[in-house]
PDB file of all heavy atoms in Angstrom:
ATOM      1  N   ARG A 191      15.711  74.651 -53.114  1.00  0.00           N
ATOM      2  CA  ARG A 191      15.132  73.556 -53.723  1.00  0.00           C
ATOM      3  C   ARG A 191      13.841  72.972 -52.895  1.00  0.00           C
ATOM      4  O   ARG A 191      13.004  72.427 -53.402  1.00  0.00           O
ATOM      5  CB  ARG A 191      16.216  72.341 -53.839  1.00  0.00           C
ATOM      6  CG  ARG A 191      15.699  71.069 -54.437  1.00  0.00           C
ATOM      7  CD  ARG A 191      16.825  70.131 -54.692  1.00  0.00           C
ATOM      8  NE  ARG A 191      17.436  69.689 -53.413  1.00  0.00           N
ATOM      9  CZ  ARG A 191      18.546  70.059 -52.988  1.00  0.00           C
ATOM     10  NH1 ARG A 191      19.321  70.918 -53.660  1.00  0.00           N
ATOM     11  NH2 ARG A 191      19.032  69.570 -51.806  1.00  0.00           N
ATOM     12  N   ALA A 192      13.930  73.276 -51.626  1.00  0.00           N
ATOM     13  CA  ALA A 192      12.858  72.830 -50.710  1.00  0.00           C
ATOM     14  C   ALA A 192      11.630  73.592 -50.810  1.00  0.00           C
ATOM     15  O   ALA A 192      10.641  73.125 -50.343  1.00  0.00           O
ATOM     16  CB  ALA A 192      13.372  72.863 -49.262  1.00  0.00           C
ATOM     17  N   GLN A 193      11.654  74.797 -51.591  1.00  0.00           N
ATOM     18  CA  GLN A 193      10.516  75.587 -51.620  1.00  0.00           C
ATOM     19  C   GLN A 193       9.443  74.899 -52.457  1.00  0.00           C
ATOM     20  O   GLN A 193       8.203  75.078 -52.287  1.00  0.00           O
ATOM     21  CB  GLN A 193      10.824  76.948 -52.316  1.00  0.00           C
ATOM     22  CG  GLN A 193      11.644  77.876 -51.361  1.00  0.00           C
ATOM     23  CD  GLN A 193      12.000  79.172 -52.074  1.00  0.00           C
ATOM     24  OE1 GLN A 193      11.620  79.378 -53.199  1.00  0.00           O
ATOM     25  NE2 GLN A 193      12.633  80.013 -51.347  1.00  0.00           N
ATOM     26  N   ASN A 194       9.770  74.088 -53.403  1.00  0.00           N
ATOM     27  CA  ASN A 194       8.836  73.438 -54.306  1.00  0.00           C
ATOM     28  C   ASN A 194       8.417  71.969 -53.987  1.00  0.00           C
ATOM     29  O   ASN A 194       7.375  71.555 -54.178  1.00  0.00           O
ATOM     30  CB  ASN A 194       9.430  73.465 -55.755  1.00  0.00           C
ATOM     31  CG  ASN A 194       9.580  74.906 -56.240  1.00  0.00           C
ATOM     32  OD1 ASN A 194       8.792  75.796 -55.880  1.00  0.00           O
ATOM     33  ND2 ASN A 194      10.623  75.117 -56.962  1.00  0.00           N
ATOM     34  N   ASP A 195       9.455  71.224 -53.335  1.00  0.00           N
ATOM     35  CA  ASP A 195       9.214  69.760 -53.266  1.00  0.00           C
ATOM     36  C   ASP A 195       9.393  69.268 -51.918  1.00  0.00           C
ATOM     37  O   ASP A 195       9.584  68.066 -51.652  1.00  0.00           O
ATOM     38  CB  ASP A 195      10.096  69.023 -54.185  1.00  0.00           C
ATOM     39  CG  ASP A 195      11.491  69.325 -53.998  1.00  0.00           C
ATOM     40  OD1 ASP A 195      11.854  70.133 -53.105  1.00  0.00           O
ATOM     41  OD2 ASP A 195      12.438  68.700 -54.627  1.00  0.00           O
ATOM     42  N   SER A 196       9.415  70.091 -50.866  1.00  0.00           N
ATOM     43  CA  SER A 196       9.584  69.622 -49.501  1.00  0.00           C
ATOM     44  C   SER A 196       8.714  70.363 -48.622  1.00  0.00           C
ATOM     45  O   SER A 196       8.186  71.469 -48.872  1.00  0.00           O
ATOM     46  CB  SER A 196      11.111  69.740 -49.072  1.00  0.00           C
ATOM     47  OG  SER A 196      11.369  71.097 -48.864  1.00  0.00           O
ATOM     48  N   PRO A 197       8.479  69.839 -47.368  1.00  0.00           N
ATOM     49  CA  PRO A 197       7.627  70.497 -46.483  1.00  0.00           C
ATOM     50  C   PRO A 197       8.179  71.756 -45.923  1.00  0.00           C
ATOM     51  O   PRO A 197       7.514  72.576 -45.324  1.00  0.00           O
ATOM     52  CB  PRO A 197       7.511  69.446 -45.306  1.00  0.00           C
ATOM     53  CG  PRO A 197       7.911  68.184 -45.915  1.00  0.00           C
ATOM     54  CD  PRO A 197       8.843  68.489 -46.965  1.00  0.00           C
ATOM     55  N   ILE A 198       9.557  72.038 -46.180  1.00  0.00           N
ATOM     56  CA  ILE A 198      10.103  73.261 -45.676  1.00  0.00           C
ATOM     57  C   ILE A 198       9.494  74.446 -46.420  1.00  0.00           C
ATOM     58  O   ILE A 198       9.467  75.535 -45.828  1.00  0.00           O
ATOM     59  CB  ILE A 198      11.626  73.241 -45.841  1.00  0.00           C
ATOM     60  CG1 ILE A 198      12.216  71.997 -45.017  1.00  0.00           C
ATOM     61  CG2 ILE A 198      12.324  74.498 -45.425  1.00  0.00           C
ATOM     62  CD1 ILE A 198      13.618  71.946 -45.145  1.00  0.00           C
ATOM     63  N   SER A 199       9.135  74.227 -47.648  1.00  0.00           N
ATOM     64  CA  SER A 199       8.478  75.349 -48.472  1.00  0.00           C
ATOM     65  C   SER A 199       7.262  75.813 -47.830  1.00  0.00           C
ATOM     66  O   SER A 199       6.771  76.926 -48.107  1.00  0.00           O
ATOM     67  CB  SER A 199       8.280  74.860 -49.868  1.00  0.00           C
ATOM     68  OG  SER A 199       7.397  73.796 -49.875  1.00  0.00           O
ATOM     69  N   ARG A 200       6.617  74.893 -47.045  1.00  0.00           N
ATOM     70  CA  ARG A 200       5.359  75.309 -46.399  1.00  0.00           C
ATOM     71  C   ARG A 200       5.504  75.931 -45.028  1.00  0.00           C
ATOM     72  O   ARG A 200       4.589  76.194 -44.384  1.00  0.00           O
ATOM     73  CB  ARG A 200       4.379  74.107 -46.379  1.00  0.00           C
ATOM     74  CG  ARG A 200       4.052  73.585 -47.689  1.00  0.00           C
ATOM     75  CD  ARG A 200       2.999  72.490 -47.621  1.00  0.00           C
ATOM     76  NE  ARG A 200       3.520  71.411 -46.867  1.00  0.00           N
ATOM     77  CZ  ARG A 200       4.109  70.334 -47.518  1.00  0.00           C
ATOM     78  NH1 ARG A 200       4.343  70.379 -48.721  1.00  0.00           N
ATOM     79  NH2 ARG A 200       4.435  69.292 -46.735  1.00  0.00           N
ATOM     80  N   VAL A 201       6.740  76.079 -44.607  1.00  0.00           N
ATOM     81  CA  VAL A 201       7.046  76.620 -43.264  1.00  0.00           C
ATOM     82  C   VAL A 201       7.154  78.135 -43.414  1.00  0.00           C
ATOM     83  O   VAL A 201       7.694  78.663 -44.310  1.00  0.00           O
ATOM     84  CB  VAL A 201       8.277  76.024 -42.700  1.00  0.00           C
ATOM     85  CG1 VAL A 201       8.632  76.647 -41.423  1.00  0.00           C
ATOM     86  CG2 VAL A 201       8.188  74.510 -42.520  1.00  0.00           C
ATOM     87  N   GLU A 202       6.576  78.815 -42.477  1.00  0.00           N
ATOM     88  CA  GLU A 202       6.551  80.262 -42.566  1.00  0.00           C
ATOM     89  C   GLU A 202       7.884  80.858 -41.968  1.00  0.00           C
ATOM     90  O   GLU A 202       8.154  80.656 -40.755  1.00  0.00           O
ATOM     91  CB  GLU A 202       5.322  80.731 -41.721  1.00  0.00           C
ATOM     92  CG  GLU A 202       5.256  82.258 -41.709  1.00  0.00           C
ATOM     93  CD  GLU A 202       4.057  82.730 -40.933  1.00  0.00           C
ATOM     94  OE1 GLU A 202       3.083  82.008 -40.952  1.00  0.00           O
ATOM     95  OE2 GLU A 202       4.117  83.749 -40.200  1.00  0.00           O
TER      96      GLU A 202
END
Side-chain angles (χ1 to χ4, degrees):
R191 183 172 65 252
Q193 290 179 359
N194 298 323
D195 57 357
S196 70
I198 299 179
S199 61
R200 297 188 295 273
V201 177
E202 181 179 322

